[in-house]
Amino acid sequence: MKKIEAIVRPHLLDAVKTALNEIGVSGMTVSEVRGFGRQGGHTETYRGTEYQVDFLPKVKIESIVEDGDVDAAIRVLRAGLGEAKPGEKRGTLFVVPVERFEQV
């Protein structure tokens, strides 16, 4: 078994959830997280003072899939994230081996 972790922009959550449901992946955990990467954050003004916002809101989606379903899950995740513009990244995907899985 493998754990797939996808860190994406919040507005892409519904598309990713729908794409995973279409291949039979129904269980997932979703967490609101903050992070920064290539986009480098942005500048905001509050009460006349500018400040740098480095950590942007993201969504982390975690799901356990069978070994044989990993490639299909990655394929639909990429499709659910949509087509990126040249140089643009839509998210980050991790595939991690799961040594043991139990539902209690």
Side-chain angles (χ1 to χ4, degrees):
M1 300 190 99
K2 304 281 189 216
K3 178 169 129 177
I4 296 179
E5 297 179 8
I7 301 174
V8 301
R9 295 177 186 173
H11 69 277
L12 298 171
L13 174 60
D14 286 335
V16 169
K17 181 181 137 197
T18 301
L20 287 172
N21 280 334
E22 287 176 0
I23 64 162
V25 177
S26 58
M28 62 186 72
T29 301
V30 177
S31 307
E32 292 181 10
V33 297
R34 295 193 169 273
F36 72 93
R38 292 189 173 180
Q39 68 263 47
H42 62 277
T43 303
E44 288 188 7
T45 303
Y46 178 72
R47 294 189 177 182
T49 304
E50 275 194 4
Y51 62 97
Q52 182 71 22
V53 178
D54 292 328
F55 292 97
L56 300 176
K58 307 280 185 177
V59 175
K60 181 178 182 182
I61 304 160
E62 300 172 282
S63 188
I64 305 295
V65 299
E66 295 290 338
D67 289 337
D69 297 332
V70 171
D71 290 333
I74 295 295
R75 205 169 27 256
V76 299
L77 276 168
R78 287 180 173 270
L81 293 175
E83 201 60 38
K85 298 174 189 167
E88 178 190 38
K89 301 295 180 202
R90 290 288 182 136
T92 304
L93 302 176
F94 301 93
V95 178
V96 182
V98 174
E99 187 174 317
R100 187 172 173 171
F101 173 76
E102 292 183 28
Q103 291 183 316
V104 293

